[in-house]
PDB file of all heavy atoms in Angstrom:
ATOM      1  N   ILE B  20    -107.113 171.967 -42.102  1.00 99.00           N
ATOM      2  CA  ILE B  20    -106.083 171.653 -41.078  1.00 99.00           C
ATOM      3  C   ILE B  20    -105.079 170.733 -41.768  1.00 99.00           C
ATOM      4  O   ILE B  20    -105.345 169.532 -41.965  1.00 99.00           O
ATOM      5  CB  ILE B  20    -106.688 170.975 -39.779  1.00 99.00           C
ATOM      6  CG1 ILE B  20    -107.763 171.880 -39.224  1.00 99.00           C
ATOM      7  CG2 ILE B  20    -105.583 170.715 -38.757  1.00 99.00           C
ATOM      8  CD1 ILE B  20    -108.574 171.305 -38.049  1.00 99.00           C
ATOM      9  N   MET B  21    -103.953 171.265 -42.107  1.00 99.00           N
ATOM     10  CA  MET B  21    -102.931 170.550 -42.896  1.00 99.00           C
ATOM     11  C   MET B  21    -102.087 169.731 -41.924  1.00 99.00           C
ATOM     12  O   MET B  21    -101.133 170.256 -41.368  1.00 99.00           O
ATOM     13  CB  MET B  21    -102.051 171.532 -43.659  1.00 99.00           C
ATOM     14  CG  MET B  21    -102.802 172.599 -44.392  1.00 99.00           C
ATOM     15  SD  MET B  21    -101.742 173.695 -45.362  1.00 99.00           S
ATOM     16  CE  MET B  21    -100.952 174.632 -44.051  1.00 99.00           C
ATOM     17  N   ASP B  22    -102.395 168.466 -41.741  1.00 99.00           N
ATOM     18  CA  ASP B  22    -101.749 167.709 -40.728  1.00 99.00           C
ATOM     19  C   ASP B  22    -101.110 166.451 -41.280  1.00 99.00           C
ATOM     20  O   ASP B  22    -101.542 165.883 -42.275  1.00 99.00           O
ATOM     21  CB  ASP B  22    -102.731 167.287 -39.614  1.00 99.00           C
ATOM     22  CG  ASP B  22    -102.098 166.864 -38.357  1.00 99.00           C
ATOM     23  OD1 ASP B  22    -100.877 167.160 -38.157  1.00 99.00           O
ATOM     24  OD2 ASP B  22    -102.732 166.279 -37.472  1.00 99.00           O
ATOM     25  N   TYR B  64    -104.486 176.247 -42.064  1.00 99.00           N
ATOM     26  CA  TYR B  64    -103.942 176.259 -40.701  1.00 99.00           C
ATOM     27  C   TYR B  64    -102.463 175.857 -40.859  1.00 99.00           C
ATOM     28  O   TYR B  64    -102.149 174.687 -41.089  1.00 99.00           O
ATOM     29  CB  TYR B  64    -104.681 175.248 -39.813  1.00 99.00           C
ATOM     30  CG  TYR B  64    -104.620 175.456 -38.274  1.00 99.00           C
ATOM     31  CD1 TYR B  64    -104.036 176.575 -37.741  1.00 99.00           C
ATOM     32  CD2 TYR B  64    -105.270 174.570 -37.496  1.00 99.00           C
ATOM     33  CE1 TYR B  64    -103.982 176.779 -36.324  1.00 99.00           C
ATOM     34  CE2 TYR B  64    -105.241 174.719 -36.049  1.00 99.00           C
ATOM     35  CZ  TYR B  64    -104.649 175.842 -35.517  1.00 99.00           C
ATOM     36  OH  TYR B  64    -104.669 176.003 -34.194  1.00 99.00           O
ATOM     37  N   ALA B  65    -101.556 176.822 -40.763  1.00 98.00           N
ATOM     38  CA  ALA B  65    -100.141 176.584 -41.032  1.00 98.00           C
ATOM     39  C   ALA B  65     -99.285 176.436 -39.806  1.00 98.00           C
ATOM     40  O   ALA B  65     -98.331 175.712 -39.764  1.00 98.00           O
ATOM     41  CB  ALA B  65     -99.597 177.633 -41.948  1.00 98.00           C
ATOM     42  N   PHE B  66     -99.711 177.136 -38.774  1.00 98.00           N
ATOM     43  CA  PHE B  66     -98.942 177.133 -37.484  1.00 98.00           C
ATOM     44  C   PHE B  66     -99.801 177.580 -36.334  1.00 98.00           C
ATOM     45  O   PHE B  66    -100.354 178.677 -36.353  1.00 98.00           O
ATOM     46  CB  PHE B  66     -97.754 178.029 -37.601  1.00 98.00           C
ATOM     47  CG  PHE B  66     -96.663 177.813 -36.532  1.00 98.00           C
ATOM     48  CD1 PHE B  66     -95.733 176.852 -36.659  1.00 98.00           C
ATOM     49  CD2 PHE B  66     -96.646 178.591 -35.437  1.00 98.00           C
ATOM     50  CE1 PHE B  66     -94.756 176.630 -35.691  1.00 98.00           C
ATOM     51  CE2 PHE B  66     -95.721 178.489 -34.422  1.00 98.00           C
ATOM     52  CZ  PHE B  66     -94.748 177.452 -34.577  1.00 98.00           C
ATOM     53  N   SER B  67     -99.976 176.721 -35.345  1.00 99.00           N
ATOM     54  CA  SER B  67    -100.855 177.062 -34.177  1.00 99.00           C
ATOM     55  C   SER B  67    -100.090 177.678 -33.046  1.00 99.00           C
ATOM     56  O   SER B  67     -98.886 177.546 -33.000  1.00 99.00           O
ATOM     57  CB  SER B  67    -101.573 175.774 -33.761  1.00 99.00           C
ATOM     58  OG  SER B  67    -100.658 174.930 -33.053  1.00 99.00           O
ATOM     59  N   ASN B  70     -98.129 175.126 -31.479  1.00 98.00           N
ATOM     60  CA  ASN B  70     -96.893 174.653 -32.219  1.00 98.00           C
ATOM     61  C   ASN B  70     -95.677 175.338 -31.701  1.00 98.00           C
ATOM     62  O   ASN B  70     -94.580 174.837 -31.958  1.00 98.00           O
ATOM     63  CB  ASN B  70     -97.100 174.782 -33.718  1.00 98.00           C
ATOM     64  CG  ASN B  70     -98.093 173.867 -34.356  1.00 98.00           C
ATOM     65  OD1 ASN B  70     -98.746 174.206 -35.373  1.00 98.00           O
ATOM     66  ND2 ASN B  70     -98.268 172.665 -33.789  1.00 98.00           N
ATOM     67  N   ARG B  73     -93.154 173.176 -29.807  1.00 98.00           N
ATOM     68  CA  ARG B  73     -92.355 172.128 -30.439  1.00 98.00           C
ATOM     69  C   ARG B  73     -90.873 172.439 -30.235  1.00 98.00           C
ATOM     70  O   ARG B  73     -90.502 173.560 -29.848  1.00 98.00           O
ATOM     71  CB  ARG B  73     -92.662 172.035 -31.907  1.00 98.00           C
ATOM     72  CG  ARG B  73     -94.089 171.513 -32.195  1.00 98.00           C
ATOM     73  CD  ARG B  73     -94.310 171.157 -33.628  1.00 98.00           C
ATOM     74  NE  ARG B  73     -95.627 170.592 -33.770  1.00 98.00           N
ATOM     75  CZ  ARG B  73     -96.059 170.011 -34.860  1.00 98.00           C
ATOM     76  NH1 ARG B  73     -95.306 169.925 -35.934  1.00 98.00           N
ATOM     77  NH2 ARG B  73     -97.322 169.572 -34.927  1.00 98.00           N
ATOM     78  N   ARG B 190    -109.641 167.990 -42.621  1.00 99.00           N
ATOM     79  CA  ARG B 190    -108.398 167.708 -41.892  1.00 99.00           C
ATOM     80  C   ARG B 190    -107.798 166.413 -42.433  1.00 99.00           C
ATOM     81  O   ARG B 190    -108.485 165.401 -42.614  1.00 99.00           O
ATOM     82  CB  ARG B 190    -108.730 167.527 -40.339  1.00 99.00           C
ATOM     83  CG  ARG B 190    -107.383 167.237 -39.624  1.00 99.00           C
ATOM     84  CD  ARG B 190    -107.532 167.303 -38.145  1.00 99.00           C
ATOM     85  NE  ARG B 190    -106.174 167.231 -37.505  1.00 99.00           N
ATOM     86  CZ  ARG B 190    -105.811 167.803 -36.401  1.00 99.00           C
ATOM     87  NH1 ARG B 190    -106.736 168.490 -35.709  1.00 99.00           N
ATOM     88  NH2 ARG B 190    -104.627 167.727 -35.922  1.00 99.00           N
ATOM     89  N   ARG B 196    -109.941 165.746 -34.725  1.00 98.00           N
ATOM     90  CA  ARG B 196    -110.074 166.800 -33.781  1.00 98.00           C
ATOM     91  C   ARG B 196    -109.869 168.161 -34.486  1.00 98.00           C
ATOM     92  O   ARG B 196    -109.383 168.265 -35.614  1.00 98.00           O
ATOM     93  CB  ARG B 196    -109.109 166.645 -32.619  1.00 98.00           C
ATOM     94  CG  ARG B 196    -107.641 166.433 -33.038  1.00 98.00           C
ATOM     95  CD  ARG B 196    -106.706 166.369 -31.835  1.00 98.00           C
ATOM     96  NE  ARG B 196    -105.377 166.084 -32.240  1.00 98.00           N
ATOM     97  CZ  ARG B 196    -104.802 164.852 -32.207  1.00 98.00           C
ATOM     98  NH1 ARG B 196    -105.477 163.811 -31.766  1.00 98.00           N
ATOM     99  NH2 ARG B 196    -103.501 164.690 -32.619  1.00 98.00           N
ATOM    100  N   SER B 198    -108.269 170.943 -32.857  1.00 99.00           N
ATOM    101  CA  SER B 198    -107.020 171.549 -32.459  1.00 99.00           C
ATOM    102  C   SER B 198    -107.011 173.095 -32.431  1.00 99.00           C
ATOM    103  O   SER B 198    -106.158 173.757 -32.945  1.00 99.00           O
ATOM    104  CB  SER B 198    -105.880 171.055 -33.302  1.00 99.00           C
ATOM    105  OG  SER B 198    -105.770 169.687 -33.363  1.00 99.00           O
TER     106      SER B 198
HETATM  107  C1  LIG I   2    -102.772 171.370 -36.018  1.00 95.77           C
HETATM  108  O1  LIG I   2    -101.889 170.301 -36.175  1.00 95.77           O
HETATM  109  C2  LIG I   2    -102.068 172.626 -36.311  1.00 95.77           C
HETATM  110  C3  LIG I   2    -101.725 172.810 -37.738  1.00 95.77           C
HETATM  111  C4  LIG I   2    -102.051 172.022 -38.752  1.00 95.77           C
HETATM  112  C5  LIG I   2    -100.954 173.977 -38.000  1.00 95.77           C
HETATM  113  P1  LIG I   2    -101.168 169.700 -34.874  1.00 95.77           P
HETATM  114  O2  LIG I   2    -100.368 168.505 -35.389  1.00 95.77           O
HETATM  115  O3  LIG I   2    -100.395 170.744 -34.199  1.00 95.77           O
HETATM  116  O4  LIG I   2    -102.389 169.232 -34.017  1.00 95.77           O
HETATM  117  P2  LIG I   2    -102.426 168.254 -32.712  1.00 95.77           P
HETATM  118  O5  LIG I   2    -101.564 168.891 -31.695  1.00 95.77           O
HETATM  119  O6  LIG I   2    -101.980 166.970 -33.166  1.00 95.77           O
HETATM  120  O7  LIG I   2    -103.859 168.224 -32.364  1.00 95.77           O
END
Side-chain angles (χ1 to χ4, degrees):
I20 303 174
M21 310 183 290
D22 198 16
Y64 203 5
F66 194 84
S67 72
N70 289 150
R73 290 193 179 190
R190 182 171 189 146
R196 55 177 175 260
S198 304

